[in-house]
Amino acid sequence: MLGSAADAEDVLQETWLRWAEVDHAAVRDQRAYLVRIVTRLGLNRLRTLQRRREEYVGPWLPEPLLTTPDVAEDLELADSVSTAMLLVLETLAPTERAVFVLREVFALSYDEIAAAVDRSPAAVRQIARRARAHVEERRPRAEVPAGLREEVVARFLTATATGDIQSLLDVLSPDVVLVSDGGGVKKAALRPILGREKVLRFLDAVAPKDGTAQAEVVVVNGAPALRIRVGGELDAIGSLLVEDGLVTAIYYVRNPAKLARLDEVVRLTR
């Protein structure tokens, strides 16, 4: 719902503190009670985040979420946490987003959702229908087999590592778009970059010339992505959207605030 693991953790922490102060014996349905608290706190946080994002420097991308390979194998779950899907959810109003997530991802009943968002079940049905149509209109259409996606990502990695321009051109869609998020801290484009040649020029511009950059494939947001290190430090996460055997979008996160938690997880699991 929030597009940020750090904000999600804050909401859960606040929920736990509130739950600790409640007389549990007086709560008829603990699950529904907790869903209501989490949803309403999430909505409050989402509205605050939207105001901050209006002042954000350059494009805003969701925080990369390190996921396990088994998430990628569950196509429905992988789609729900994919970078492309989270960006589509960003175009929904806060209540629409909450209703969509609770209904489509967690399969809650309309009555349960109505209690969580303080709307009537009839209103929730309308919101859910509107949000579903909005998402379906904007979500990527092609369902790519996991094996093909991994192959395309591997080809992209090999081409960038060897500097093989022709191989890069072969793996990129002619109208590929690159969205980079530096948060005003790291070098990034202030607007999306469209087209193979322009994308290649940008990637060349941000790549260090001293050979200290290293890239490896990791599973991020339920799909293979590139983790780029420079001088041993995490510099960027590049998530690739693959359609029809080609890379059609690159989501390039360089904002250190969005990489800090992911880098900490990697260090702890080594």
Side-chain angles (χ1 to χ4, degrees):
M1 189 186 294
L2 301 177
S4 163
D7 286 301
E9 287 178 347
D10 287 345
V11 166
L12 290 178
Q13 178 69 18
E14 189 170 350
T15 299
W16 175 254
L17 293 175
R18 293 192 181 194
W19 178 244
E21 298 174 353
V22 170
D23 179 5
H24 296 175
V27 179
R28 293 192 304 272
D29 186 333
Q30 295 186 358
R31 176 178 177 274
Y33 186 87
L34 289 169
V35 167
R36 183 181 304 185
I37 294 177
V38 171
T39 301
R40 293 185 178 179
L41 290 176
L43 280 170
N44 291 339
R45 180 63 61 95
L46 185 56
R47 293 181 179 113
T48 300
L49 291 174
Q50 284 194 329
R51 290 192 292 271
R52 291 179 191 167
R53 288 167 194 170
E54 291 175 357
E55 303 172 353
Y56 198 78
V57 178
W60 182 93
L61 289 173
E63 180 181 333
L65 180 66
L66 194 67
T67 49
T68 55
D70 60 315
V71 172
E73 293 171 4
D74 186 332
L75 296 181
E76 186 174 349
L77 178 58
D79 177 66
S80 72
V81 297
S82 71
T83 301
M85 174 57 80
L86 292 178
L87 285 172
V88 171
L89 294 183
E90 282 294 315
T91 63
L92 294 174
T95 301
E96 288 179 330
R97 184 167 181 167
V99 169
F100 180 87
V101 170
L102 293 174
R103 180 63 181 173
E104 300 298 323
V105 180
F106 294 103
L108 266 64
S109 70
Y110 290 114
D111 287 342
E112 289 178 295
I113 300 172
V117 300
D118 198 23
R119 299 288 182 92
S120 70
V124 166
R125 285 180 182 274
Q126 291 183 338
I127 293 171
R129 189 181 306 114
R130 186 168 63 243
R132 190 182 307 114
H134 182 97
V135 170
E136 287 300 323
E137 183 180 325
R138 289 162 176 78
R139 76 195 310 169
R141 296 293 179 186
E143 293 187 3
V144 183
L148 176 59
R149 186 167 52 197
E150 291 171 3
E151 177 190 336
V152 172
V153 173
R155 287 170 56 201
F156 182 90
L157 175 58
T158 301
T160 53
T162 59
D164 188 338
I165 301 300
Q166 186 56 54
S167 293
L168 264 178
L169 290 172
D170 291 341
V171 79
L172 294 176
S173 168
D175 56 354
V176 61
V177 60
L178 184 146
V179 182
S180 57
D181 179 348
V185 180
K186 286 289 192 76
K187 185 175 182 180
L190 295 179
R191 289 181 295 275
I193 299 172
L194 181 64
R196 280 189 301 207
E197 288 73 18
K198 291 181 180 179
V199 167
L200 287 178
R201 285 199 294 270
F202 173 82
L203 293 175
D204 181 63
V206 298
K209 309 306 179 186
D210 56 4
T212 58
Q214 295 178 315
E216 60 182 331
V217 178
V218 292
V219 180
V220 172
N221 293 89
L226 300 181
R227 180 167 60 203
I228 296 99
R229 292 186 175 278
V230 176
E233 297 296 324
L234 181 59
D235 181 76
I237 291 289
S239 299
L240 309 180
L241 178 62
V242 177
E243 298 175 286
D244 298 324
L246 295 174
V247 176
T248 57
I250 302 173
Y251 306 112
Y252 200 70
V253 178
R254 299 195 73 207
N255 186 343
K258 296 184 179 182
L259 299 178
R261 184 179 182 279
L262 185 144
D263 202 26
E264 180 183 353
V265 171
V266 172
R267 293 177 191 276
L268 291 174
T269 55
R270 282 179 179 170

